[in-house]
C-alpha cells in the first residue's frame, strides 16, 4: 500500500491498508471455500485459467482507476480492447513484425486517450459523453474495417505467448505485474500521481496552485487508453482473433473492479492494489460459479450484489472512522 | 409554508434573564481530537452571548452539537428545563434552535426563495407554489432591510449576500435560539451593519443569540456576555461591561499580544509588477505597481473588482485591454502557470472553492505548489515532503493531529492557514493574498503578519486584498481604494484616515458611517 504520503491520515492509512487486507482475505476465503466445494478449482489448470481471466480486467481497472481518481470515467475501454485486437490482427497478418505491430496498436490506444482528453479539456464535453461516443463509434469503425468478419491471426509465436507460463505463472499474470509496479510508483510516488488526486479533489484549487490541470486530464485518459490497447494485444494473443465486438461490457467490469477496490466515483480516492484485487475477486466468482454449475444469469446477479455490499461496507467504515 | 412577517416575531416564552438552555458536561471526541472537553454553561433567555477562542478551540463543534448536526460523545443539554437529545437537525429546529453556520450550507443552484423555504415548501396538492414563495421570501428580505432579490439563483450572489440569506432563513422558522458562527467573515461593512440591526431586533423580540467571532470590536458592540473557549475547555464567562480586549485575548491564548499589526518598513526595491491601464471582467483601467519590500493594499467592498483584478494578473482570466509588465518588460500571462513561472503566488479568497483540496491530506495541500521542487525527475522525495509540510504546520501553528489528516477535518481558521502556508515555501517573488485572515484568530493573525514582514525582508513584494479596513490600513505601505471595478484613490502609509478611505470606497451611495469599522 502507499507510503504515508498520499494515503491520508495515520488512522486512515492503516485503514486503507486494512481495506486492502480485507479484500485479500476475501479473495483467499473465496479460494479456500471453492477448493473445498469443488475438487477441480484448485487444479493447476484452473488456477492458471483464473489468473488469465482476471489479468486482463485487472489491467483495464488500473487505467480506469487513474481516470476515476480525477473525477472522470472511461466507458470506452471495452471498445478500445476490441478495436485493438483488430488493429493488431491486421498488422500481424500484413506481415508487420510482431513487436512493431504491438507498438503501433499501443499508439492507437494512446491516440484514443488523447482524443478523450481533447474532448474534455478543449471541447468541454463531460467524460461520460465523450467516452460513450467512442464506445459506440469505435465498434462501428472496427466493423467497417473488418466487414463484420473476424480476422484469424496467423502467427503462432504471437499466440503462444499468452498461453505459456514463466516460472509456473501464466505470462498474462506477469503482465499484470509489469503494469502494476510502474502504475503503483506513478500513482503514489510521483508528482503526477499527486496531481491526479488533487485535480479530482478540487480542480480550481489545483490550477491556482500551479498544477497543469489540462495536462493531468490528458494524462489520465491516455494511460487508460494505453492500458486498454495493451489488453487488446493480450486478448488478440489469447484468442487468436481480431474482432471489434470482443470485450463487450469489459468497461463495466473494469469500473466494478475499481470500485470494489475502494476507488471513489467522486474522485480523489483510489489505489493501484485495490482494483487489482477487485478484478481477481470478480474473476474468482465467475470461475467458481462456472465450476459449481451456477446459472450464468445468477453470476451477474451475484456480481451486482457483491458490488453493493462491498462498497456499502467500505463507505460505512470510512464514515465510521 | 405560509409564513408571514409575524413569524419574525416569535412570542418570548420566558421572561428575560431565565435560563433557556443549559449545557452539562457536554463533550465531543473526534477520532484523534478531543474537540470539546466537558463544558458546562447556561444561556439566559434573550441575551446575546458571544463565544470567542482560538482556531480549533471547539466553537463550531459546540454549535454542531447544539443544532444536532453531530452527535455528542457525552453530557446533557437542558432545553427549557427538560433534557433534549438533539440527535437530528430537525429536532433542534422543532425546539426553535437554528444556526447560521460558518460555511454557507445552502443549495447554490436553487433560487434564494427556494433556499429560504427548503424543507418547508409551500405546496398545494403536491404542486409547489413557486410564485407565492418568491413573493413571501421577498417580503421577508425587504422586511429585514436587505437589498436582495428573492428570485435569483443563490450561487449568483456574493458569499456575503449568501450569508445574509442564511440569516434570513434562520429567522423565519419560529426561532427562539439563534446561533451565528462567524457571520461577518465575508460581509461588507454595510452588510455587517444590516446584520447587526437584525440581531438587535431579534434580541428585542426575546430571541437568545450565540455570536461567534474573531473580531473583538464586534463582540464588545453586540454582546451582553462572553465565554472563552481554549482547547475545548471553557476558560470563563464575563459580563461584557466587566471585561476588556486584553483580558479576553489573554484568556483565549494564555499569553498576551502587545501588537497584532506587526509592521516593519523597508525601503522599497525594484518594481516587480506593473499594471498599465489594465481592464478585464469586473474591473476597468487599473494602473498600479508592486515593488519588492512593500505591501500594496487593495481596499474596497466585496465585489469591487479587486479579486478579478488580481486573478487576471495571475493569468486565471483574460485581460481585455492594457499591459502587464514584469520587472519592466511587458509579459503575456496566459495561465496561472505563466504567472507562477515569473514568480507570482496567489492565495485565493474562497478556501472551499479555490483554496483547498478538502478530501486530501493537509500535507498534500501544503506541498501542492512545490512538488516540482521536492521531486527528482520522477519520484517525490518523501523525506522532503514530510519536512516541508511539518515546517509549515509548525510555522503557522496549524492545529491538526498529523500532516496526514484530511483538510476537511480541520477547523475553518486552520484550513485558512493551509491556503496561506502552501505558498510560504514556494520562493515566489510577489505574493498576492486575497482576504488572508478570514476566520483566523488573533494570535495567528499576528503570526501571519510577522511572516509577511519576513517575506518582505527577503526581498519579496506583497499585494494584500482585504475588506477589513484596519488590516490594510495598518499593514499597507501603499493603499489603493477600489470602487465598482475602478481604482479610485491611492494613499501612502497612514496618510488618510479611516473615514476618508471608507467614503471613497462607498462614495455616492452615502452610507451611514457610524459604528465600528
Ligand atoms: N469532522 C471532524 N473530524 C475530526 N476532527 C475534527 C472535525 N471537525 C473538527 N475537528 C477538530 O476539532 C477541533 C475543534 O474544531 P472547531 O471547528 O470546533 O474549531 P473552531 O473553534 O470553530 O475554530 P475556528 O475558529 O477555526 O472556526 C479542531 O482541532 C478540529 O481539527
Ligand atoms: Mg469554527
Amino acid at each position: 500500500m502507499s507510503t504515508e504520503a498520499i494515503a491520508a491520515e495515520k488512522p486512515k492509512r492503516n485503514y486503507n491498508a486494512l481495506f486492502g487486507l480485507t479484500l485479500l482475505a476475501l479473495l483467499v476465503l473465496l479460494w479456500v471455500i471453492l477448493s473445498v466445494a469443488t475438487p477441480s478449482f484448485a487444479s493447476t489448470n484452473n488456477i492458471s485459467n483464473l489468473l488469465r481471466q482476471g489479468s486482463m480486467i485487472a489491467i483495464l481497472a488500473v487505467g480506469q482507476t487513474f481516470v476515476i481518481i480525477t473525477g472522470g470515467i472511461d466507458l470506452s475501454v471495452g471498445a478500445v480492447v476490441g478495436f485493438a485486437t483488430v488493429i493488431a490482427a491486421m498488422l500481424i497478418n500484413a506481415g508487420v513484425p510482431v513487436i512493431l505491430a504491438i507498438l503501433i496498436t499501443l499508439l492507437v490506444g494512446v491516440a484514443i486517450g488523447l482524443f478523450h482528453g481533447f474532448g474534455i479539456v478543449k471541447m468541454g464535453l463531460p467524460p461520460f459523453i465523450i467516452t460513450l461516443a467512442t464506445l459506440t463509434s469505435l465498434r462501428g469503425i472496427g466493423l467497417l474495417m473488418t466487414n463484420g468478419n473476424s480476422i484469424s491471426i496467423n502467427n503462432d509465436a504471437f499466440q503462444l505467448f499468452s498461453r505459456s507460463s514463466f516460472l509456473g505463472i501464466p505470462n498474462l499474470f506477469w503482465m499484470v505485474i509489469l503494469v502494476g509496479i510502474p502504475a503503483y510508483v506513478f500513482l503514489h510516488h510521483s508528482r503526477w500521481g499527486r496531481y491526479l488526486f488533487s485535480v479530482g479533489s478540487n480542480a480550481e484549487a489545483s490550477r491556482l496552485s500551479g498544477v497543469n490541470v489540462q495536462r493531468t486530464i490528458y494524462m489520465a485518459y491516455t494511460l487508460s487508453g494505453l492500458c486498454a490497447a495493451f489488453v487488446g494485444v493480450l486478448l488478440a494473443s489469447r484468442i487468436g482473433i481480431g474482432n471489434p465486438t470482443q470485450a463487450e461490457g469489459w468497461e463495466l467490469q473494469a469500473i466494478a473492479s475499481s470500485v470494489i477496490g475502494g476507488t471513489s466515483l467522486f474522485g480523489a480516492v483510489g489505489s493501484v492494489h485495490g482494483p487489482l484485487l477487485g478484478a481477481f475477486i470478480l474473476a474468482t466468482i465467475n470461475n467458481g460459479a462456472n465450476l459449481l454449475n451456477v446459472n450464468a444469469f445468477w453470476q451477474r446477479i451475484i456480481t451486482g450484489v457483491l458490488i453493493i455490499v462491498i462498497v456499502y461496507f467500505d463507505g460505512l467504515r470510512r464514515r465510521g472512522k | 409554508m405560509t409564513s408571514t412577517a409575524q413569524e419574525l416575531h416569535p412570542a418570548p416564552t420566558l421572561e428575560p434573564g431565565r435560563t433557556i438552555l443549559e449545557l452539562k458536561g457536554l463533550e465531543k471526541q473526534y477520532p484523534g481530537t478531543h474537540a470539546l472537553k466537558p463544558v458546562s454553561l447556561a444561556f439566559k433567555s434573550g441575551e446575546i452571548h458571544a463565544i470567542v477562542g482560538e482556531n480549533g478551540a471547539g466553537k463550531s463543534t459546540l454549535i454542531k452539537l447544539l443544532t444536532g448536526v453531530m452527535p455528542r460523545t457525552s453530557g446533557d443539554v437542558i432545553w427549557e428545563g427538560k433534557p433534549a437529545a438533539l440527535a437530528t437537525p430537525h429536532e433542534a429546529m422543532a425546539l426553535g434552535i437554528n444556526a447560521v453556520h460558518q460555511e454557507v450550507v445552502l443549495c447554490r443552484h436553487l433560487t434564494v426563495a427556494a433556499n429560504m423555504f427548503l424543507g418547508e415548501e409551500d405546496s398545494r396538492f403536491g404542486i409547489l407554489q413557486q410564485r407565492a414563495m418568491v413573493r413571501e421570501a421577498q417580503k421577508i428580505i425587504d422586511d429585514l432591510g436587505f437589498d436582495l432579490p428573492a428570485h435569483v439563483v443563490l450561487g449568483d450572489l456574493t458569499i456575503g449576500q449568501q450569508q445574509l440569506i442564511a440569516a434570513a432563513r434562520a429567522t423565519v422558522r419560529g426561532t427562539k435560539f439563534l446561533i451565528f458562527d462567524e457571520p461577518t467573515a465575508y460581509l461588507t461593512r454595510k452588510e455587517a451593519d444590516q446584520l447587526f440591526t437584525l440581531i438587535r431586533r431579534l434580541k428585542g423580540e426575546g430571541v437568545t443569540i450565540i455570536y461567534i467571532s474573531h473580531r473583538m470590536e464586534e463582540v464588545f458592540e453586540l454582546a451582553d456576555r462572553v465565554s472563552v473557549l481554549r482547547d475545548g475547555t471553557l476558560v470563563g464567562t464575563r459580563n461584557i461591561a466587566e471585561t476588556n480586549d486584553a483580558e479576553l485575548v489573554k484568556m483565549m491564548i494564555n499569553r498576551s499580544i502587545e501588537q497584532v499589526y506587526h509592521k516593519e518598513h523597508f525601503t522599497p526595491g525594484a518594481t516587480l509588477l506593473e499594471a498599465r491601464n489594465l481592464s478585464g471582467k469586473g474591473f476597468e483601467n487599473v494602473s498600479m505597481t508592486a515593488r519588492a519590500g512593500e505591501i500594496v493594499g487593495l481596499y474596497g467592498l466585496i465585489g469591487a473588482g479587486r479579486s478579478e483584478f488580481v486573478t487576471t494578473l495571475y493569468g486565471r482570466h483574460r485581460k481585455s485591454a492594457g499591459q502587464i509588465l514584469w520587472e519592466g518588460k511587458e509579459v503575456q500571462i496566459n495561465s496561472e502557470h505563466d504567472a507562477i513561472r515569473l514568480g507570482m503566488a496567489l492565495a485565493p479568497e474562497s478556501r472551499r472553492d479555490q483554496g483547498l483540496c478538502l478530501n486530501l491530506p493537509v500535507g498534500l495541500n501544503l506541498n501542492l505548489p512545490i512538488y516540482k521542487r521536492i521531486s527528482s525527475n520522477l519520484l517525490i522525495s518523501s523525506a522532503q515532503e514530510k519536512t516541508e509540510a511539518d515546517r509549515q504546520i509548525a510555522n503557522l501553528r496549524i492545529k491538526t493531529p498529523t500532516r496526514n489528516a484530511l483538510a476537511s477535518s480541520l477547523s475553518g481558521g486552520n484550513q485558512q492557514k493551509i491556503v496561506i502556508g502552501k505558498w510560504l515555501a514556494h520562493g515566489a517573488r510577489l505574493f498576492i493574498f486575497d482576504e488572508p485572515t478570514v476566520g483566523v484568530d488573533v494570535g495567528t493573525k499576528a503570526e501571519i503578519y510577522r511572516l509577511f514582514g519576513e517575506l518582505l525582508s527577503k526581498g519579496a513584494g506583497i499585494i494584500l486584498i482585504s475588506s477589513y479596513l484596519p488590516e490594510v490600513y495598518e499593514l499597507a505601505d501603499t493603499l489603493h481604494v477600489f470602487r465598482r471595478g475602478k481604482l479610485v484613490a491611492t494613499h501612502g502609509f497612514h496618510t488618510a484616515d479611516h473615514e476618508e478611505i471608507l467614503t471613497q470606497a462607498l462614495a455616492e451611495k452615502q452610507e451611514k458611517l457610524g459604528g465600528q469599522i
Side-chain angles (χ1 to χ4, degrees):
Chain A
M1 170 53 225
S2 81
T3 63
E4 35 268 287
I6 188 64
E9 72 196 79
K10 203 152 192 157
K12 175 86 180 300
R13 175 166 26 124
N14 293 341
Y15 155 74
N16 256 355
L18 205 68
F19 182 68
L21 282 180
T22 319
L23 286 181
L24 194 62
L26 180 64
L27 189 59
V28 171
L29 184 74
L30 283 172
W31 286 17
V32 169
I33 293 174
L34 286 170
S35 331
V36 175
T38 118
S40 46
F41 179 82
S43 68
T44 328
N45 224 336
N46 185 55
I47 293 291
S48 302
N49 198 20
L50 186 154
L51 289 182
R52 288 199 185 97
Q53 281 173 356
S55 294
M56 290 193 267
I57 298 294
I59 295 173
L60 282 186
V62 169
Q64 184 72 250
T65 301
F66 291 156
V67 168
I68 297 180
I69 287 175
T70 66
I73 193 103
D74 189 349
L75 294 179
S76 74
V77 293
V80 175
V81 171
F83 188 69
T85 63
V86 173
I87 301 285
M90 284 183 149
L91 289 170
I92 291 172
N93 284 358
V96 176
V98 170
I99 293 294
L100 190 61
I102 292 175
L103 279 179
I104 294 175
T105 311
L106 295 183
L107 280 180
V108 169
V110 167
I112 294 168
L114 288 173
F115 170 69
H116 290 153
F118 179 83
I120 294 163
V121 167
K122 299 288 181 209
M123 298 168 71
L125 297 173
F128 189 97
I129 300 301
I130 179 95
T131 59
L132 182 66
T134 315
L135 161 68
T136 79
S137 46
L138 215 48
R139 296 222 192 262
I141 296 172
L143 286 168
L144 277 179
M145 287 168 63
T146 60
N147 263 328
N149 302 321
S150 293
I151 306 171
S152 303
I153 300 172
N154 39 34
N155 183 321
D156 292 340
F158 177 64
Q159 295 181 42
L160 194 62
F161 173 80
S162 62
R163 293 173 193 167
S164 339
S165 299
F166 176 65
L167 299 178
I169 293 172
N171 281 350
L172 282 184
F173 188 77
W174 283 113
M175 292 303 108
V176 176
I177 295 173
L178 184 77
V179 171
I181 290 178
Y184 169 80
V185 172
F186 171 80
L187 187 63
H188 294 303
H189 291 283
S190 82
R191 70 188 139 99
W192 296 109
R194 294 285 195 283
Y195 295 166
L196 288 179
F197 284 97
S198 80
V199 167
S201 175
N202 188 340
E204 181 69 14
S206 306
R207 176 175 291 134
L208 292 176
S209 300
V211 174
N212 193 329
V213 174
Q214 304 198 342
R215 206 190 302 170
T216 309
I217 288 175
Y218 269 113
M219 193 174 58
Y221 287 86
T222 306
L223 288 174
S224 178
L226 179 63
C227 284
F230 184 55
V231 171
V233 171
L234 298 181
L235 183 65
S237 159
R238 178 146 193 244
I239 315 237
I241 288 178
N243 184 332
T245 57
Q246 291 184 96
E248 186 97 52
W250 282 20
E251 62 280 348
L252 296 184
Q253 290 195 45
I255 294 169
S257 304
S258 187
V259 167
I260 288 177
T263 312
S264 160
L265 286 175
F266 296 112
V269 177
S271 65
V272 168
H273 65 280
L276 294 182
L277 286 170
F280 286 103
I281 288 174
L282 283 186
T284 303
I285 288 173
N286 287 337
N287 177 285
N290 277 336
L291 295 179
L292 293 170
N293 278 327
V294 176
N295 182 327
F297 303 151
W298 272 106
Q299 292 182 26
R300 295 179 177 225
I301 298 175
I302 294 171
T303 307
V305 172
L306 188 81
I307 292 174
I308 295 177
V309 169
I310 292 186
V311 175
Y312 173 71
F313 278 109
D314 183 27
L316 261 196
R317 294 175 51 181
R318 259 173 225 280
R319 260 172 282 143
K321 275 276 167 176
Chain B
M1 73 169 265
T2 49
S3 114
T4 61
Q6 282 138 37
E7 283 189 75
L8 282 174
H9 310 263
T13 45
L14 295 167
E15 62 277 23
R18 275 188 35 196
T19 296
I20 181 167
L21 178 77
E22 191 177 356
L23 318 177
K24 287 189 172 163
L26 193 64
E27 183 176 8
K28 177 69 190 178
Q29 174 91 53
Y30 291 114
T33 311
H34 202 169
L36 217 52
K37 311 197 174 126
V39 165
S40 300
L41 180 59
F43 298 98
K44 292 183 200 158
S45 177
E47 74 169 335
I48 299 182
H49 195 121
I51 296 183
V52 297
E54 273 186 295
N55 295 130
K59 306 179 297 293
S60 298
T61 302
L62 178 66
I63 296 337
K64 286 180 188 152
L65 300 188
L66 289 184
T67 48
V69 175
M70 288 258 188
R72 57 183 179 249
T73 309
S74 69
D76 291 307
V77 177
I78 315 288
W79 172 256
E80 295 187 331
K82 287 188 280 297
L86 295 177
T88 64
H90 197 260
E91 186 194 339
M93 280 180 205
L95 291 176
I97 303 178
N98 275 295
V100 179
H101 289 282
Q102 187 167 10
E103 317 280 350
V104 178
V105 278
L106 294 176
C107 306
R108 302 182 47 174
H109 299 281
L110 299 183
T111 63
V112 168
N115 270 293
M116 295 217 11
F117 296 125
L118 197 64
E120 294 180 25
E121 286 81 1
D122 178 9
S123 64
R124 282 191 203 126
F125 312 112
I127 310 287
L128 281 180
Q129 303 297 304
Q130 312 236 27
R131 287 226 203 108
M133 286 200 293
V134 170
R135 252 196 326 266
E136 198 60 49
Q138 191 66 60
K139 212 163 92 196
I140 294 163
I141 293 171
D142 292 346
D143 192 48
L144 292 174
F146 300 164
D147 179 22
L148 295 170
H151 62 272
V152 302
V153 173
L154 187 78
D156 291 345
L157 303 181
T158 66
I159 306 178
Q161 292 168 332
Q162 294 180 24
Q163 197 80 302
L164 287 183
I165 296 300
R169 178 185 144 86
T171 60
V172 296
R173 21 201 83 212
T175 297
K176 293 184 200 160
F177 196 96
L178 186 53
I179 302 161
F180 291 93
D181 193 355
E182 289 185 47
T184 52
Y186 291 102
L187 295 191
T188 65
R189 236 189 70 92
K190 183 178 151 225
E191 289 163 346
D193 282 341
Q194 291 177 345
L195 185 75
F196 292 166
T197 313
L198 167 67
I199 291 176
R200 291 210 187 84
R201 179 165 141 192
L202 288 168
K203 172 187 153 94
E205 287 157 5
V207 178
T208 312
I209 285 158
I210 294 187
Y211 188 86
I212 296 177
S213 180
H214 287 295
R215 299 189 182 159
M216 288 301 152
E217 68 277 3
E218 291 178 356
V219 169
F220 282 96
E221 187 184 340
L222 276 177
D224 301 310
R225 292 199 299 160
V226 50
S227 291
V228 182
L229 282 178
R230 190 200 315 143
D231 276 336
T233 322
L234 181 70
V235 187
T237 301
R238 299 277 184 276
N239 285 325
I240 208 72
E242 293 158 16
T243 185
N244 58 43
D245 212 290
E247 185 192 24
L248 290 183
V249 171
K250 180 97 200 310
M251 286 165 80
M252 272 163 61
I253 61 180
N254 208 9
R255 64 195 156 87
S256 39
I257 296 183
E258 302 100 64
Q259 190 197 10
V260 176
Y261 297 106
H262 170 92
K263 174 71 193 160
E264 291 174 58
H265 292 272
F266 299 93
T267 3
T271 300
L272 292 170
L273 181 87
E274 182 178 354
R276 277 193 199 153
N277 307 99
L278 201 65
S279 299
K281 189 174 160 283
F283 65 94
E284 234 182 291
N285 202 14
V286 174
S287 300
M288 58 152 269
T289 58
R291 289 174 296 181
E294 79 170 344
I295 297 184
V296 178
L298 307 184
Y299 177 73
L301 304 183
I302 289 174
R306 297 163 302 162
S307 298
E308 288 80 359
F309 171 64
V310 293
T311 46
T312 305
L313 288 181
Y314 196 64
R316 182 72 190 86
H317 302 292
R318 288 276 151 135
K319 61 174 201 257
S320 59
Q323 292 172 299
I324 302 175
L325 287 81
W326 179 261
E327 296 188 318
K329 283 194 278 295
E330 178 165 11
V331 286
Q332 295 302 327
I333 300 178
N334 294 319
S335 70
E336 308 74 15
H337 226 72
D338 294 345
I340 291 169
R341 207 161 338 143
L342 288 174
M344 291 193 225
L346 170 75
E349 76 181 315
S350 163
R351 57 178 170 254
R352 300 209 131 213
D353 296 341
Q354 310 170 302
L356 288 177
C357 296
L358 278 172
N359 56 354
L360 292 177
V362 172
L364 197 159
N365 273 289
L366 283 169
N367 285 327
L368 200 51
I370 58 167
Y371 270 120
K372 207 171 225 162
R373 208 182 73 213
I374 60 176
S375 48
S376 58
N377 297 331
L378 182 69
L379 297 190
I380 293 169
S381 149
S382 56
Q384 246 181 312
E385 189 178 33
K386 284 176 210 162
T387 5
E388 290 292 347
D390 287 342
R391 192 158 57 122
Q392 296 315 330
I393 290 173
N395 238 345
L396 291 171
R397 294 189 287 134
I398 298 175
K399 199 174 168 198
T400 171
T402 78
R403 76 185 101 79
N404 295 316
L406 300 188
S408 58
S409 74
L410 267 57
S411 77
N414 283 298
Q415 290 178 358
Q416 183 63 32
K417 296 183 204 170
I418 300 177
V419 178
I420 307 294
K422 70 163 136 183
W423 287 112
L424 295 180
H426 183 260
R429 314 255 317 273
L430 178 67
F431 292 84
I432 305 172
F433 294 110
D434 196 349
E435 308 282 1
T437 58
V438 164
V440 169
D441 66 50
V442 199
T444 312
K445 262 187 198 165
E447 193 58 23
I448 289 177
Y449 300 148
R450 202 188 54 69
L451 285 167
F452 283 1
E454 221 166 81
L455 292 174
L456 295 179
S457 75
K458 286 185 196 148
I462 292 178
I463 296 179
L464 171 67
I465 296 186
S466 180
S467 304
Y468 186 52
L469 187 50
E471 182 170 273
V472 261
Y473 189 77
E474 298 300 334
L475 291 173
D477 300 289
T478 308
L479 177 59
H480 299 297
V481 183
F482 274 62
R483 185 178 70 232
R484 301 214 189 134
K486 297 214 172 81
L487 198 164
V488 292
T490 298
H491 306 284
F493 182 73
H494 282 195
T495 54
D497 60 8
H498 282 197
E499 195 82 2
E500 183 183 347
I501 296 170
L502 267 173
T503 320
Q504 288 164 340
L506 298 167
E508 64 273 87
K509 289 184 90 184
Q510 300 301 333
E511 261 93 352
K512 197 179 111 250
L513 298 178
Q516 108 309 339
I517 287 143

